Amino acid sequence: MISRVLSAELAEHAGQRVTIAGWVHRRRRLKSVSFLIVRDRSGLTQAVAASGDLPPEESVVQVTGTVATGSQAPGGYELVSPEIEVLAQPSAPPPFDLYRPVVSAALPTVLDHAPVALRHPMLRAPLEISAASVAGFREALDRLGFTEIHTPKIVGSATESGANVFGIDYFGRPAYLAQSPQFYKQAMVGVFERVYEVGPVFRAEPHDTVRHLAQYTSLDAELGFVRDHRDVMAVLREAVAGMLESVRRRAPGALDLLGVMLPEVPAEIPAVHFSEAQRLTSSSEPDLSPEQERWLSEWALKEHGSEFLFVTGYPMAKRPFYTHPDPARPGYSNGFDLLFRGLELVTGGQRLHRYDDYVRALAARGEGTQAYEGYLQAFRYGMPPHGGFALGLERWTARLTGAANIRQTTAFPRDLHRLSP
Amino acid sequence: MISRVLSAELAEHAGQRVTIAGWVHRRRRLKSVSFLIVRDRSGLTQAVAASGDLPPEESVVQVTGTVATGSQAPGGYELVSPEIEVLAQPSAPPPFDLYRPVVSAALPTVLDHAPVALRHPMLRAPLEISAASVAGFREALDRLGFTEIHTPKIVGSATESGANVFGIDYFGRPAYLAQSPQFYKQAMVGVFERVYEVGPVFRAEPHDTVRHLAQYTSLDAELGFVRDHRDVMAVLREAVAGMLESVRRRAPGALDLLGVMLPEVPAEIPAVHFSEAQRLTSSSEPDLSPEQERWLSEWALKEHGSEFLFVTGYPMAKRPFYTHPDPARPGYSNGFDLLFRGLELVTGGQRLHRYDDYVRALAARGEGTQAYEGYLQAFRYGMPPHGGFALGLERWTARLTGAANIRQTTAFPRDLHRLSP
């Protein structure tokens, strides 16, 4: 490896001659002195040179110098008497200045130039928060005895929702990109009892909005031997707390840079039944509107001091066929949503677990079992009461960072119009 | 949660009355006594009952009983005076007996019934080893300052290899399933310096063999500021050692059950140059045959006591266009393969990092830059010397466990003929 210290380690080498390596973030020539700011994965380092030519921005350089205190330097230390070696020269200047505190280019321009735009610390930060979140999700579930699975992204039938699926040519046969690992994670409860998967899911979403992507990363979990959906909610609470703890620990720089205040997760997240949510918002619709979700979030913050709120018991008619009904309240389900800062963040619930219940549920929706044979196998051979949830990583990151557009939370977004880079 | 102890915790509760929960693995009625073996995610528990009717195999049950020593019981403890509650009844007997030590059904039958077949401890074990391997991969790279990324699985052009891609209908436009995250992970070296991704890749592999899948899980890493490919090999060594350490720690039961002996990873894995490999195997072909790979693996074990062997310097003609040449030996590359137990397990190497070199490399293969515009952006704006590798998770698990067919190492394989379950 190129022998180097990272920008963040500079203070540990005060007075020593060290080598740093990275990209020229900015160069500034004054009358008698020049400054070269070098960006590496840990931060910025300022090198102070005699006036003269300096390599242009985004050059890849190695700079050997003596570590000295510098009151104007990032972190309080800088390199003096630098020797600069250029490892790679850019063949063009960047499409916009990466050294400015904020990128002023319009989002489409930024996205068209993602490989270089994401080098900007502000644009990179959401991805750091995203990576830290996923690590925390896994850690929390690993502690609870979950096993990681990898399931097919190519499926033979478009059964789960029917709409918005991408068709693929599978060796001359029609096939589809999976919209979720729902059926597979349920089947794997029969094998491991508790499973999770972090992977891409695909929605041929025909709407061009700030909240929809054609591919996103779904954080899925499913667990058996639950009493009802409340056990699933308790596990989700642990997962979310683990994600936030991990972000706090792994991405403090990104949080600072974006000015993000992380929410507290109450030991028990407040929950309101759907019928009560309707009463509170004076509604009789069978689903909650975005406006109602915002209102309920504000209410939870006022009433319970919580930025998170569970809404439980959504009407069966609005939930997928595998949803477990509430045994005590006909028409209502053991399904829930988790609202966070005004928006639905997670959908989950208890599922049916008896084969006969599946046959009945499908018949009630006018469907036979044929398209579901592989899925129904799990239930034919004995399945425990179980449930689970799915959390969209990009939506999570957008809510945490306050990103106005979900495209700012993933490196190379895919949407109705965008297929590159 | 259903209040229960796991089979593996039984010894800690000797003399107490406890509840276990799981599937009826087997029932046996003798003249005056019956045995009920219950399977949960941690193992098996035997309950000893008075003779009488017992729920059939794969019923989901809760059994409350007193923990007593039992010389015939798995783990040395069993439940006596059991009360059995059935949580879910199977609606059919399993397609083959899950309680037998080995599954005798043919592989296609097993795969057709994956949701129930994978409950067999022998068939589940490779998936436990696979999950533990991935956790170890991430741990090792996290320690080395890598950042996890998620990249598009839908791409606009079939550029990387051209052949064996799945076509998809992307909102009426042609698109393709990504064969690897190669271009994206390289671009992200410009952002995070060190990145990895664990995700599905897709190959429209027209051959029906024991080694090919249409979807597999690729463990990809890429890092910048390397001197050459040897720095990449050193990181790969750490990743492999981390994977094995994690399997040892997280999946000891699966290793026992399958009788797997884990390999030792030498502090430095032996390496042989391609030209030397040719000399050793008396060959002049520009690539290694499977037979040569086997021979070289045996040679490494004999000569170096290592089950791992790097072959370095593959001819440029046999490597992709982004491969960095060996500056000292024209025609040879800074690419490598890692052989493990007779088979290529990992491909990697140093990549080109200068924009002009890419333009030249593409021209030399008779290609323009147009189809690569998004990719080449990263290099246009300054990229450090870098390299990386890709390891196929299923192939790794197959080599570790000695699985005869790669389909035994993934829950729901996809191949030329198989699209369900």
Side-chain angles (χ1 to χ4, degrees), chain A residues 420, chain B residues 156-157 159 183 355 358-359 362-363 366-377 380:
Chain A
S420 74
Chain B
S157 56
T159 41
F183 294 176
Y355 181 74
Y358 274 91
V359 175
L362 285 167
E367 292 202 67
T369 57
Q370 198 166 6
Y372 301 88
E373 278 309 322
Y375 174 49
L376 293 182
Q377 269 188 37
R380 182 174 283 139

Side-chain angles (χ1 to χ4, degrees), chain A residues 244-296:
Chain A
L244 289 169
E245 189 278 319
S246 172
V247 171
R248 205 168 271 125
R249 177 161 42 92
R250 289 189 169 92
L255 292 175
D256 270 2
L257 198 61
L258 298 178
V260 170
M261 288 288 288
L262 290 183
E264 294 296 321
V265 191
E268 186 163 358
I269 293 175
V272 60
H273 192 274
F274 181 84
S275 58
E276 175 68 6
Q278 275 184 312
R279 199 188 59 77
L280 285 166
T281 56
S282 310
S283 155
S284 58
E285 295 297 312
D287 213 344
L288 298 178
S289 68
E291 197 184 11
Q292 284 172 296
E293 290 181 350
R294 275 194 298 277
W295 189 93
L296 287 165

Side-chain angles (χ1 to χ4, degrees), chain A residues 335-357:
Chain A
F336 62 80
D337 278 4
L338 177 62
L339 308 187
F340 171 51
R341 294 185 176 167
L343 207 75
E344 174 244 307
L345 179 69
V346 185
T347 292
Q350 184 183 359
R351 329 295 189 183
L352 299 174
H353 61 280
R354 292 190 177 89
Y355 181 75
D356 293 345
D357 290 341

